Each structure stands twice: as structure tokens, then as C-alpha cells.
């Protein structure tokens, strides 16, 4: 037990080596920054959430060869736009909060299985849950569906253009490497069930206990159960919680300044770069950048009191990580007792 705890705490503070993170950060800056600047110029920053989630396609396949990376980003971009459409549908229908949670939990499970089969990197359904949850919390009309497709789809296409240009400029290999798809077996189904259950329970707890921004609890839970084994999941949960708490302090200072939109965009893009520099090396450090980035983007698209945003981010993250950690431990126990192991 002591040895296991030691591995967890060592994993929490370990910072991995750099592996071309600066190139990924630069691609992310251009992919995310350009759509936001366009929306600023046309005075439609209320659409910034759709643009940001579409641009997140650029974050996939960072370690893959060019051809695989572009294909993965195109697929992930389609899933992100579809997730936003699911969330928009829930908002348009004025679905009860618990129904929204249930639908997004099913989405989380489905995308987890799909990502496993397609060998996505980053793996899992975290961005899809974030996209669906955020859009489900925003007001929607019939016209919103077209805006999601237009703005989100354009951001996906732009991220693919950026990735392609970078690959061509570096004369990257476009040869298709041998790539086997892992079978859908017990491991995949356990991951799928664990993510779905954690997202569902965290979302219900967040909706009932806090009421607002309940999807942050779902995102926290999905992050906490994203590892391949229980130690990896515990490490991920602790890193998300500590990184979020530190990031909230930074966000509090930034939101208190009441910055003009153009400065908010500049800072958000810089935070995105910082997140990409560390997300593959230490998730906790990345969360210090990701947390104020998420809060700044929400404040751009749908202005709300900073106190509410900061409070909800902390409380919903605590709920999500706590639920995710419990589900991860229970899942590991059930796996050990399984007669097939």
C-alpha cells in the first residue's frame, strides 16, 4: 500500500521530457487565435465557444506522422462539432438538467470507445464532454445550429490547414505507417463503462448540489478516470484538482482586471500555448494554464459574475474528481475480482 501511494505521489509531481511541445503549442496558438480574432473583428465574440471547441481539433495526433495526424484531427473535429450539436439540441429543447447529464454521459461512453478503437491522442472523451456540456448550458434557438456548424466547422477546417502547412514546411513524412486497431475487448468495455458511470454520477451530483456549470463536474470526473490503471487515474485526479485550485487563483486576478476583449484573447492564446507545452509532461501544471483559459473563454461568450464562475469551477471540480476517484477505485476492485483476470 505504501509503495502504491509512493508511486502515485511520484507520478503527481513528475515532469516528463520535452517532445516537440513547442511545435504543438505554436499550431494551437494559430488554430485557436485566428478564429477568435475574426470573431472580435465582426463583433461576435458570443460565438467564441464554438470557435474554440472546433479549433481544439488541432490538439490531436501531436506525436503521429503528418498523414495520421491530419486524419485524426479531421475525425476528432467532426466529433467535437457533433458534440456541440448534441449540447445545442438539449438547450434548444429546454431539457431538464438531469436529462442533459444523462445524454452527455452516454456521449462520453460512446466517444471513449470510439477513441480507443481509433487510437486517439489525447485519448478519451474529455473535449467532447466539455463541448457538449458547455453548449447545453448556453441559450439556443433554431439559428444556433447553423452557427455551430458554420463557426465550429470553419475552425476545424482552419486547424487542418494549419497542421498541413506546418507538416509541409517541415517536409514531414506523409507515408501511411502500419497502424493496427486494438480489439474491443474487456479493457475497452471497462474503460467505457467507467467513464460513462463517472460522468453520469458527477453530473447528477453537480446539478443537484451546485446547479450551475454542472458540466465541469462531468469533465473533472472524465479526467479522473482517464488512465489505463488505478494509479494513473489517481494521479490524474490529484493533478486536476491541485492544478485547478492554483489556476483559479490566476483566473481571479485576470477576471478582476476587467480586461478589454482583445487583451482577453491575447492572454487566452498565451495560456493555450502554456497548456500545450506541459499537457504531455505534467497534467497538473497544464491545468494551471487550462483553468484560467476556460474561465476567460466562458466570460467572453457569456458574461457572468466572476465570483460565480470561480466558485463553480472549484466546487464542480472537487465534485468531479471525488466522484471520478471513487469510481476508479471501485472499477479497479471489480476488475481484480473478475474471474477472467
Amino acid at each position: 500500500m505504501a509503495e502504491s501511494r509512493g508511486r502515485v505521489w511520484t507520478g503527481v509531481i513528475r515532469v516528463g521530457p520535452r517532445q516537440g511541445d513547442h511545435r504543438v503549442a505554436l499550431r494551437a496558438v494559430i488554430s485557436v487565435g485566428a478564429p477568435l480574432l475574426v470573431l472580435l473583428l465582426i463583433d461576435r465574440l458570443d460565438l467564441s465557444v464554438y470557435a474554440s471547441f472546433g479549433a481544439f481539433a488541432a490538439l490531436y495526433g501531436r506525436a503521429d506522422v503528418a498523414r495520421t495526424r491530419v486524419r485524426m484531427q479531421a475525425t476528432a473535429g467532426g466529433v467535437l462539432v457533433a458534440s456541440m450539436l448534441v449540447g445545442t439540441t438539449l438547450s434548444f429543447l429546454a431539457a431538464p438538467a438531469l436529462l442533459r447529464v444523462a445524454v452527455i454521459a452516454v456521449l462520453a461512453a460512446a466517444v471513449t470507445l470510439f477513441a480507443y478503437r481509433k487510437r486517439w491522442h489525447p485519448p478519451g472523451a474529455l473535449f467532447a464532454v466539455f463541448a457538449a456540456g458547455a453548449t447545453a448550458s448556453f441559450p439556443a434557438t433554431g439559428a444556433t445550429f447553423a452557427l455551430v456548424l458554420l463557426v465550429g466547422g470553419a475552425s476545424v477546417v482552419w486547424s487542418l490547414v494549419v497542421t498541413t502547412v506546418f507538416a509541409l514546411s517541415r517536409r514531414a513524412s506523409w507515408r501511411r505507417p502500419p497502424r493496427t486497431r486494438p480489439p474491443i475487448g474487456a479493457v475497452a468495455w471497462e474503460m467505457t463503462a467507467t467513464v460513462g458511470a463517472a460522468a453520469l454520477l458527477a453530473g447528477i451530483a453537480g446539478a443537484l448540489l451546485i446547479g450551475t456549470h454542472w458540466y465541469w463536474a462531468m469533465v473533472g470526473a472524465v479526467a479522473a478516470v482517464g488512465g489505463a490503471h488505478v494509479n494513473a487515474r489517481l494521479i490524474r485526479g490529484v493533478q486536476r484538482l491541485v492544478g485547478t485550485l492554483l489556476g483559479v487563483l490566476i483566473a481571479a486576478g485576470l477576471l478582476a482586471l476587467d480586461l478589454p476583449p482583445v487583451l482577453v484573447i491575447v492572454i487566452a492564446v498565451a495560456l493555450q500555448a502554456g497548456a500545450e507545452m506541459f499537457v504531455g509532461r505534467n497534467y497538473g501544471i497544464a491545468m494551471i494554464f487550462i483553468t484560467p483559459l476556460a474561465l476567460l473563454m466562458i466570460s467572453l461568450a457569456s458574461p457572468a459574475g466572476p465570483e460565480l464562475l470561480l466558485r463553480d469551477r472549484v466546487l464542480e471540480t472537487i465534485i468531479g474528481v471525488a466522484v471520478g476517484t471513487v469510481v476508479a477505485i471501485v472499477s479497479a476492485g471489480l476488475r481484480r475480482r473478475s474471474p477472467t483476470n
Side-chain angles (χ1 to χ4, degrees), residues 173-192:
S173 172
W174 288 86
R175 289 185 301 173
R176 184 174 184 175
R179 188 178 175 87
T180 59
R181 294 182 179 181
I184 303 298
V187 172
W189 288 117
E190 185 270 339
M191 289 175 57
T192 300

Side-chain angles (χ1 to χ4, degrees), residues 14-314:
R14 180 179 179 273
V15 180
R18 287 181 56 184
Q19 297 179 331
D21 305 295
H22 61 288
R23 290 190 293 271
V24 182
L26 183 56
R27 289 202 306 267
V29 163
I30 298 173
S31 297
V32 174
L36 293 179
L37 289 176
V38 170
L39 292 177
L40 174 66
L41 291 174
I42 64 174
D43 196 25
R44 290 304 308 267
L45 283 176
D46 56 305
L47 305 177
S48 58
V49 166
Y50 309 136
S52 298
F53 284 125
F56 281 174
L59 308 182
Y60 286 84
R62 61 191 297 150
D64 291 284
V65 298
R67 181 170 178 169
T68 302
R69 183 186 308 141
V70 171
R71 292 184 64 183
M72 188 182 300
Q73 289 180 2
T75 305
V79 170
L80 289 170
V81 172
S83 299
M84 287 191 283
L85 290 174
V86 169
T88 300
T89 301
L90 293 170
S91 176
F92 177 73
L93 297 176
L98 294 184
L99 178 58
R100 301 185 196 201
V101 167
V103 171
I104 295 172
V106 172
L107 175 71
V111 175
T112 297
L113 188 62
F114 183 80
Y116 177 86
R117 180 65 171 166
K118 294 292 185 179
R119 297 177 62 184
W120 276 6
H121 186 275
L126 189 145
F127 287 133
V129 171
F130 193 4
T135 50
S137 301
F138 279 27
T141 65
T144 307
F145 293 94
L147 291 173
V148 170
L149 286 171
L150 176 62
V151 178
S155 292
V156 172
V157 172
W158 170 245
S159 71
L160 294 176
V161 170
V162 172
T163 296
T164 302
V165 169
F166 266 72
L168 292 174
S169 67
R170 298 185 66 243
R171 298 182 179 178
S173 172
W174 288 86
R175 289 185 301 173
R176 184 174 184 175
R179 188 178 175 87
T180 59
R181 294 182 179 181
I184 303 298
V187 172
W189 288 117
E190 185 270 339
M191 289 175 57
T192 300
T194 300
V195 169
L200 178 64
L201 295 174
I204 291 173
L208 295 180
L209 296 177
I210 308 301
T212 50
H213 300 106
W214 43 265
Y215 59 91
W216 279 337
M218 301 185 75
V219 172
V222 170
V225 297
H229 51 80
V230 67
N231 275 2
R233 292 169 178 177
L234 292 175
I235 290 168
R236 189 84 161 184
V238 172
Q239 287 178 330
R240 186 171 185 91
L241 179 58
V242 174
T244 294
L245 295 177
L246 294 175
V248 162
L249 296 177
I250 297 173
L254 292 173
L255 291 172
L257 295 176
D258 194 22
L259 298 169
V262 65
L263 280 181
V264 172
I265 291 174
V266 170
I267 293 172
V269 168
L271 290 169
Q272 182 72 65
E276 294 311 309
M277 288 292 293
F278 285 98
V279 72
R281 304 169 63 195
N282 184 289
Y283 186 64
I285 296 176
M287 283 305 305
I288 297 175
F289 296 95
I290 292 171
T291 298
L293 168 63
L295 293 171
L296 286 177
M297 296 312 301
I298 294 296
S299 69
L300 267 182
S302 180
E307 297 83 4
L308 177 65
L309 287 176
L310 296 169
R311 183 206 70 172
D312 284 3
R313 183 70 178 191
V314 171

